[in-house]
């Protein structure tokens, strides 16, 4: 396998690891402090509802990012395995 290809794949994988780490950190922060969103200190019910909804959306976004990143990493692993076996034809 061409060294440039290996370097490119490693670069993509490092980027995905970074994105995954960031998404997991956001998820942890939201899960640990979800009460800040659910019990927002305000007398305005509309404002409380918006904060609770924001917490839910941020949680869903971080979960989706984690899932998409893990799927991309699996796809990269499959491609690398095929390249190492010589099974991918770029013609």
């Amino acid at each position: 396998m061409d060294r440039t290809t290996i370097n490119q794949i490693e670069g993509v994988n490092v980027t995905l690891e970074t994105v995954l780490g960031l998404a997991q950190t956001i998820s942890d922060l939201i899960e640990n402090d979800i009460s800040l969103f659910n019990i927002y200190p305000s007398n305005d019910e509309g404002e409380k509802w918006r904060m609770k909804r924001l917490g839910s959306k941020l949680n869903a976004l971080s979960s989706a990012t984690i899932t998409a990143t893990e799927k991309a990493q699996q796809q990269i692993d499959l491609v690398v395995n095929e390249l190492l076996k010589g099974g991918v034809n770029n013609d």
Side-chain angles (χ1 to χ4, degrees):
M1 183 168 35
D2 185 356
R3 188 71 199 154
T4 302
T5 304
I6 293 171
N7 289 341
Q8 290 170 333
I9 291 170
E10 287 174 354
V12 169
N13 204 33
V14 167
T15 301
L16 287 173
E17 284 293 327
T18 302
V19 170
L20 181 60
L22 291 170
Q24 288 170 333
T25 300
I26 292 168
S27 180
D28 290 346
L29 289 170
I30 293 168
E31 286 177 12
N32 290 339
D33 296 323
I34 195 71
S35 64
L36 294 175
F37 294 100
N38 293 334
I39 307 170
Y40 185 70
S42 175
N43 293 328
D44 183 337
E45 289 301 318
E47 196 171 84
K48 285 182 174 183
W49 179 84
R50 286 191 304 274
M51 285 303 293
K52 186 174 182 177
R53 183 126 167 94
L54 175 61
S56 296
K57 286 182 175 183
L58 288 171
N59 198 26
L61 179 60
S62 65
S63 294
T65 303
I66 290 168
T67 300
T69 304
E70 289 173 342
K71 185 175 180 179
Q73 287 176 314
Q74 291 170 354
Q75 291 170 336
I76 286 175
D77 288 344
L78 289 173
V79 169
V80 167
N81 287 334
E82 287 298 316
L83 286 172
L84 290 173
K85 292 177 189 173
V88 174
N89 186 353
N90 293 325
D91 293 337

